[in-house]
Structure formats: C-alpha cells, structure tokens
Amino acid sequence: MIRLTKVELRRLTARRLTVIGVLGVLVITALLLLATWFEARPQSEAEQRSSQAQYEAAHRYWEEHADEDRVRCTEDWQKQPDPKPSLEELCSYPEPTVDQFGKPRMVFAEAMPELLLGTSYLLVFAAFLIGASFVGAEFSTGAIGNWLTFEPRRLRVYGSKLLAAAIGLAPVAAVVLAIVLFGTYLIVDQLGDTSGTTGKVWGDLVATGGRAVLLIAMGAALGGVVGLLLRHTAAAIGVAMGYLVLIEGVFAGFLNKAQPWLVKLNFDAFVRHDTTYYLNECSTGGDGSYMCNSIEKTLSFEHGAWYLGILTVVLVLLGGAVFYRRDVSS
C-alpha cells in the first residue's frame, strides 16, 4: 500500500492540471493579500477631513435634538401594539464618537479568522477539482484498465489513489494558509492594529488553519471518489457546482430550517470551532398581525465534525464498493 501510494503521489505531482491548479491558487492568494493591503490602507487626508466634518455635524445635532427625539420616540413606542421591542432598544440615542465616522483601522485578531475561512473555501474547491481530475481522467482515457493489469487488487489501488490525493494536497494547503496568515500580519502590522494579537489568538488561528488543512485533504479525497463514480472530471465538477449553486445558493434561502444539514455550514462549524446562523421564526399576534423575527442559532463544532466525518466515510465506502464491482472497461 505504501509503495502504491508513493507511485500515485509521483503521478499526482507530475500532472499538468495539478501544477496549473497550485499555481492558480498561489496567484489568487497573492491577489487576496493585495486586496487586504488596499482594505487596510488608512484614509487620505481629504477623506479624514470629510469624516471629521461629518462627526462634528452629527455631534451638534445630538446636542441640540437628542432629548426631543427621545421624547418623540417614547410617545411612538407607547402607541405600538404588543409584542414590541424594549424602550431602551428602540429609543437609545448614544452620543456620537469620532470612531463611528471614517474608515476603522483593520484589527488583525478580528479580520484573520474570516480570511482563513475564505481561503479554505478556495483551497477545498481546488483540492476537489485536482482530486476529481486525478482519478476521473484515468476512467475517461481507459488508463485504469492498464493499471489494474499490474496491480489487480482493486481496493489497494482505490485506497492508494485517495491517500495520494489527500497527502499531496495537504502540504499545499498548509503553505498557502501560512502565507495568508503571516502575510496578513505583516500588512496589518504596518497599516492597522496588531496590538491584541496575544498568544491565545495565535494558538486559535493555528488551530483553525490545522482544521482547515484536514478538511482540504478530505476534499481532495472526496474529489477522487466523485471522479471515480462519474468517470469524468467535467461531470464531477458539474455536480459540485450544481450543488453549490442550487442547494447552497438558491434553495438554502427556502430550506431555512435545513441549514444545519448543509455542507457549507458544517464546514464553517468545524473550521471555526462553532458557527452561528439565523432562522426566521414567524407568529401571528393577538391583533392578527403577522411578524417574523430572525433568531441566532449556534451550530457546534461536534455537529460539524460528525456530519463531515460520516459523509466522508459513506462516500468513500460507496466509491470502494462501486470500484470493486464495476467493469472499468464499460
């Protein structure tokens, strides 16, 4: 098995699509860091003067009209039918501060988790594409039949291909995430705020990156499984894009209560170690009015881990069963 996996790793790294895919990921990573640099840049002097003028105008208005606005809001609140928001929530008029106007400084500890998650999306898609091409191309060209004449034990061949896809893409994912992590730190250290980057923050970010690398390796292996089941790279990519566009993109808005069973949300829960989502809960009031409220829910890390783990095991077993029994020449 080890010998077969080494052979498959050499084949994976020698493939043109693998090289093109990795280079494409590196180019997109460079563009991502460039976009981060633009986002972190402070305002120009003219923009700062405009923000200061807006703050001063807002503060003058608050000093002159805050009390009368609060009285008017309280009167309107008393006339509203139940259920209604609390008075403090609806009629709060805090004093404007300078920080509320203009462009806030980028804070590394706040921006980095989302950047890691976004980069993980890119990497898992690239890994899936490369894995699907790595396995699917052998079926579309008929090369898998020749390979089985040298190694007829199909499950060993199957396992070595999935292992090679996972092992081969994991270091690429780790390097790209490290580039994004430390590149962003250098940018924000010059243009933003890194003062709150404690040892715990670094530990959490490294753990996030580690979990992302694991899922990216799984994505490469599952790409191989789908490529095997569909026997063609384009078909595997079509299925993946169809799921993302139709299920995650279109129907997710209608399948509101089914969100915990969608792949993306479980991916987020695993990488971020818990994530939140929103459900619309609607009810009819005593006066016949129909109201909907957006309720924040938490999807746990454990849910994401079990969901993705079971999904991976089921698909790998399905792919193995099909490969073991199916005629590769048809």
Side-chain angles (χ1 to χ4, degrees):
M1 187 70 168
I2 295 177
R3 180 179 61 85
L4 283 175
T5 303
K6 289 180 178 179
V7 172
E8 296 291 353
L9 276 171
R10 287 196 294 270
R11 293 181 59 252
L12 175 68
T13 55
R15 298 192 76 248
R16 181 180 301 174
L17 184 59
T18 302
V19 176
I20 293 174
V22 172
L23 290 177
V25 167
L26 291 175
V27 169
I28 296 174
T29 301
L31 294 176
L32 176 64
L33 290 176
L34 181 62
T36 302
W37 181 78
F38 278 110
E39 180 66 23
R41 286 190 309 171
Q43 290 181 306
S44 66
E45 292 185 3
E47 290 171 331
Q48 291 177 16
R49 289 194 297 269
S50 176
S51 298
Q52 181 65 26
Q54 292 174 5
Y55 159 71
E56 292 174 355
H59 197 271
R60 282 196 302 270
Y61 180 90
W62 179 83
E63 290 179 329
E64 297 171 0
H65 302 287
D67 291 337
E68 60 187 74
D69 286 347
R70 192 175 293 108
V71 170
R72 187 183 304 110
C73 180
T74 301
E75 293 175 351
D76 293 339
W77 176 81
Q78 292 172 343
K79 297 175 183 178
Q80 290 184 10
D82 292 326
K84 57 187 176 183
S86 66
L87 179 62
E88 293 75 13
E89 179 184 351
L90 187 64
C91 299
S92 176
Y93 294 91
E95 181 179 2
T97 62
V98 177
D99 295 338
Q100 295 171 339
F101 295 82
K103 183 179 180 180
R105 297 186 73 194
M106 178 177 285
V107 180
F108 177 78
E110 296 175 358
M112 198 63 239
E114 292 300 323
L115 283 173
L116 282 179
L117 183 64
T119 308
S120 300
Y121 294 153
L122 164 68
L123 288 169
V124 77
F125 180 77
F128 182 92
L129 168 64
I130 293 171
S133 171
F134 177 54
V135 178
E138 290 197 79
F139 284 90
S140 60
T141 61
I144 188 66
N146 294 330
W147 183 237
L148 289 175
T149 61
F150 292 98
E151 175 52 79
R153 291 171 293 186
R154 293 193 175 199
L155 292 183
R156 289 171 63 88
V157 172
Y158 175 71
S160 66
K161 291 183 181 298
L162 298 192
L163 278 175
I167 295 172
L169 272 298
V172 175
V175 169
V176 171
L177 289 172
I179 291 173
V180 172
L181 178 62
F182 294 108
T184 302
Y185 180 83
L186 293 176
I187 291 171
V188 178
D189 189 46
Q190 295 296 317
L191 303 175
D193 183 7
T194 60
S195 60
T197 313
T198 62
K200 183 181 183 305
V201 170
W202 279 114
D204 290 342
L205 291 174
V206 171
T208 298
R211 292 191 295 271
V213 169
L214 176 60
L215 290 190
I216 291 160
M218 290 169 56
L222 291 181
V225 172
V226 176
L228 179 149
L229 292 174
L230 301 178
R231 297 192 173 202
H232 203 286
T233 304
I237 297 172
V239 167
M241 293 301 297
Y243 172 80
L244 291 174
V245 173
L246 293 177
I247 305 301
E248 297 281 356
V250 177
F251 293 118
F254 301 101
L255 304 173
N256 199 249
K257 294 185 178 180
Q259 289 183 76
W261 306 106
L262 299 178
V263 173
K264 178 183 176 297
L265 194 63
N266 283 277
F267 184 96
D268 292 355
F270 186 85
V271 172
R272 301 179 64 176
H273 207 287
D274 296 346
T275 192
T276 57
Y277 64 101
Y278 292 89
L279 287 180
N280 289 327
E281 293 190 357
C282 303
S283 61
T284 302
D287 59 350
S289 61
Y290 187 73
M291 298 182 63
C292 292
N293 293 315
S294 185
I295 309 298
E296 185 179 73
K297 301 283 188 177
T298 298
L299 190 69
S300 69
F301 165 78
E302 291 78 14
H303 187 286
W306 278 106
Y307 177 95
L308 296 173
I310 292 173
L311 178 64
T312 300
V313 169
V314 169
L315 288 177
V316 169
L317 291 177
L318 175 63
V322 170
F323 184 55
Y324 184 76
R325 300 180 62 87
R326 189 167 64 183
D327 183 1
V328 297
S329 62
S330 60

